[in-house]
């Protein structure tokens, strides 16, 4: 079967991950190799989830990478709490590798500005409108801030 269009075009980000994996393997960089393999596996799993296999767009690949990076941060915190410093360090190192593929994170001032604009746009005056504000902020932030940071800032401004 012959297809034209973007469906058969591999996402640029996924292609970059594969290229970087090959480079890491040639350089015998065990950490990068393992991290990129796990990430590509997560992407493949996402592609075959559901009723029909499909190719992920760059935005969808970014969401998978962000989710994987978040898992690393949470695991590092759990290992720190359990006094397993060597495992926490490994998780942080993997997270650093993944962060290179993600858009730069918003600092607190930038996040506060975006939230303030959304509060004004929604005409929010209290916590009852938190959902409406979150709905406006989420697309503007798009992977550049953790959901918890966003909701904490919205609560702070509405509270």
């Amino acid at each position: 079967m012959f297809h034209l269009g973007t469906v058969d075009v591999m996402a640029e980000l996924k292609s970059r991950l594969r290229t970087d994996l090959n480079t890491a393997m040639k350089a015998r960089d065990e950490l990068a190799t393992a991290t990129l393999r796990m990430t590509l596996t997560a992407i493949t799993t996402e592609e075959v989830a559901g009723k029909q296999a499909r190719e992920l767009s760059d935005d969808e690949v970014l969401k998978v990478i962000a989710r994987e990076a978040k898992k690393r941060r949470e695991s590092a915190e759990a290992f720190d709490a359990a006094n397993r410093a060597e495992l926490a360090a490994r998780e942080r190192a993997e997270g650093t590798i993944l962060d290179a593929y993600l858009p730069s994170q918003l600092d607190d001032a930038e996040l506060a500005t975006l939230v303030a604009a959304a509060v004004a746009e929604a005409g929010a005056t209290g916590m009852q409108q938190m959902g409406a504000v979150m709905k406006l902020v989420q697309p503007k932030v798009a992977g550049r801030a953790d959901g918890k940071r966003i909701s904490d800032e919205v609560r702070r401004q509405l509270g």
Side-chain angles (χ1 to χ4, degrees):
M1 194 187 278
F2 185 74
H3 292 286
L4 288 176
T6 58
V7 176
D8 290 339
V9 176
M10 184 184 340
E12 212 173 288
L13 189 54
K14 185 176 166 186
S15 177
R16 184 174 145 213
L17 286 165
R18 286 208 171 113
T19 302
D20 291 353
L21 173 61
N22 287 336
T23 304
M25 288 167 56
K26 287 176 185 169
R28 299 194 187 290
D29 182 343
E30 187 276 330
L31 177 69
T33 299
T35 304
L36 294 173
R37 268 195 184 133
M38 283 188 279
T39 303
L40 283 164
T41 299
I43 291 167
T44 302
T45 301
E46 187 80 14
E47 287 177 335
V48 298
K51 294 183 193 283
Q52 187 174 354
R54 63 191 179 84
E55 192 79 28
L56 297 182
S57 69
D58 273 349
D59 284 344
E60 292 168 319
V61 170
L62 264 179
K63 285 179 185 165
V64 173
I65 295 171
R67 189 171 58 231
E68 291 297 308
K70 182 179 180 187
K71 284 181 192 175
R72 300 310 185 287
R73 284 191 299 276
E74 290 171 351
S75 295
E77 290 171 12
F79 285 133
D80 277 338
N83 292 322
R84 301 293 305 269
E86 70 286 347
L87 293 173
R90 168 74 183 214
E91 293 292 327
R92 281 195 186 87
E94 289 179 2
T96 301
I97 290 170
L98 294 175
D99 287 344
Y101 297 94
L102 297 172
S104 60
Q105 295 293 295
L106 294 171
D107 65 30
D108 291 339
E110 293 169 318
L111 181 59
T113 302
L114 285 173
V115 170
V119 167
E121 186 179 335
T125 56
M127 291 303 289
Q128 302 87 340
Q129 291 95 9
M130 182 171 175
V133 174
M134 289 294 290
K135 213 174 274 185
L136 292 171
V137 172
Q138 290 285 10
K140 293 175 184 167
V141 172
R144 297 181 299 152
D146 184 58
K148 181 164 177 19
R149 273 186 66 208
I150 299 167
S151 64
D152 287 349
E153 181 61 26
V154 170
R155 274 193 189 89
R156 188 185 72 72
Q157 290 193 25
L158 292 178

